[in-house]
Amino acid sequence: TISARGIQLPVGLSYSGFQGINVESIAPWVGLGWSLNATFAVSRSIRDLPDDETIKADGYLTIPIPDIDDEVQMQKYLDGVKDKEPDTFYFNINGKSGSFYIDKAGNVLLKSKDNVRIEYSRLNEIDTFIITDTSGFKYVFDQKERSLSVGQCNSLADVPNATTSWYISSIRDQDDNVLVSFNYNTLSDLKHITYSAQSVKPNTTLFQEAQDMRFTYHTTSAKRIKEIISKSEKETLGLRVGVKSGGCA
């Protein structure tokens, strides 16, 4: 546990494989069946397009409220060309968790049993989240993890390289002094492919040939915690965990 002027930050590894590991499980970076409980982040589930999509400015936070009498524009919403619903964001900070979304007016609408205040900064895409707890401690999330998913029918130019998680960089006191800071390694271009059967195949229900399958390439520029530094206690926790590229049980 790292202590810093009223902040207690538990750090440790937990193992969930006592009941067995699924044969298709992919080993995380800390090892198969293991998880690190010092990973604090704001993550999001993207619906249609990223809310802050900037390639064509078709994200939920950019486009105006649609005119229901404009059939052409309404069809674009139905086809997923324009973003018709907000993304859901999730947060996890030192025992506090919940979800929220951002409405058209830019307001954060929170769903959580914990009483926290959430702010964000954005020029084009969302850059930073700041979550303040009831004691006035501020948790700053600005270390971005990006993901890119390209289907076989998509052009790379049309697919946003979206931020899917904002990892914590610091915990600050009421006077904005840094109490704890977090440093990361960036693992670039982690790749995997997913496959799914074509939805329609004439004359047969068997999917055996390569052309019967749809595939999607996924690329992630991932953040992995390297060290946690407590300013007040002058403690540094360095994490050196062997990183494996994929691997199945």
Side-chain angles (χ1 to χ4, degrees):
T1 300
I2 291 180
S3 301
R5 286 169 34 193
I7 291 288
Q8 298 291 319
L9 196 66
V11 177
L13 287 168
S14 59
Y15 185 68
S16 60
F18 295 108
Q19 302 301 318
I21 301 292
N22 189 296
V23 293
E24 295 183 354
S25 296
I26 297 175
W29 70 290
V30 290
L32 191 62
W34 291 90
S35 59
L36 179 68
N37 68 357
T39 304
F40 306 123
V42 174
S43 60
R44 72 167 158 188
S45 175
I46 295 175
R47 300 179 174 182
D48 292 335
L49 297 172
D51 284 356
D52 52 349
E53 189 273 331
T54 58
I55 294 178
K56 295 183 178 179
D58 286 331
Y60 185 82
L61 296 177
T62 304
I63 56 178
I65 297 174
D67 180 358
I68 61 174
D69 295 323
D70 189 332
E71 294 183 3
V72 174
Q73 291 300 315
M74 291 304 296
Q75 189 62 49
K76 290 182 178 180
Y77 283 96
L78 293 175
D79 292 341
V81 176
K82 289 184 177 291
D83 193 3
K84 62 181 178 293
E85 59 181 327
D87 299 338
T88 301
F89 296 83
Y90 303 90
F91 67 90
N92 169 33
I93 53 167
N94 205 18
K96 302 174 180 64
S97 61
S99 63
F100 63 92
Y101 71 91
I102 303 172
D103 68 13
K104 285 284 192 182
N107 301 310
V108 174
L109 303 180
L110 176 65
K111 183 179 180 180
S112 174
K113 61 180 178 60
D114 296 303
N115 185 18
V116 298
R117 184 175 76 250
I118 301 177
E119 304 166 276
Y120 70 96
S121 63
R122 171 178 176 255
L123 292 176
N124 292 311
E125 64 178 11
I126 297 173
D127 294 309
T128 305
F129 286 101
I130 299 177
I131 300 180
T132 306
D133 66 16
T134 54
S135 298
F137 293 111
K138 300 175 183 178
Y139 301 79
V140 181
F141 301 83
D142 59 9
Q143 296 297 302
K144 299 177 184 178
E145 181 172 280
R146 296 181 179 273
S147 297
L148 180 68
S149 297
V150 183
Q152 66 188 83
C153 298
N154 296 125
S155 167
L156 186 61
D158 295 330
V159 179
N161 186 17
T163 301
T164 49
S165 295
W166 293 257
Y167 283 85
I168 193 169
S169 62
S170 63
I171 302 174
R172 298 169 180 261
D173 66 12
Q174 299 84 345
D175 297 319
D176 211 35
N177 299 308
V178 175
L179 301 179
V180 183
S181 60
F182 301 75
N183 296 323
Y184 296 85
N185 290 316
T186 300
L187 306 181
S188 300
D189 297 331
L190 299 181
K191 299 177 180 179
H192 70 282
I193 302 175
T194 56
Y195 296 89
S196 60
Q198 298 271 18
S199 59
V200 177
K201 180 174 170 59
N203 304 323
T204 182
T205 57
L206 297 178
F207 295 87
Q208 297 179 338
E209 305 296 331
Q211 61 266 27
D212 297 337
M213 307 298 291
R214 293 186 183 276
F215 57 85
T216 303
Y217 292 98
H218 306 274
T219 303
T220 301
S221 178
K223 294 294 183 182
R224 298 293 181 260
I225 189 73
K226 180 173 66 175
E227 61 182 5
I228 303 172
I229 302 173
S230 171
K231 302 293 185 179
S232 60
E233 301 294 334
K234 296 183 179 180
E235 295 176 337
T236 299
L237 174 64
L239 301 175
R240 285 173 171 76
V241 182
V243 178
K244 300 180 180 180
S245 57
C248 300

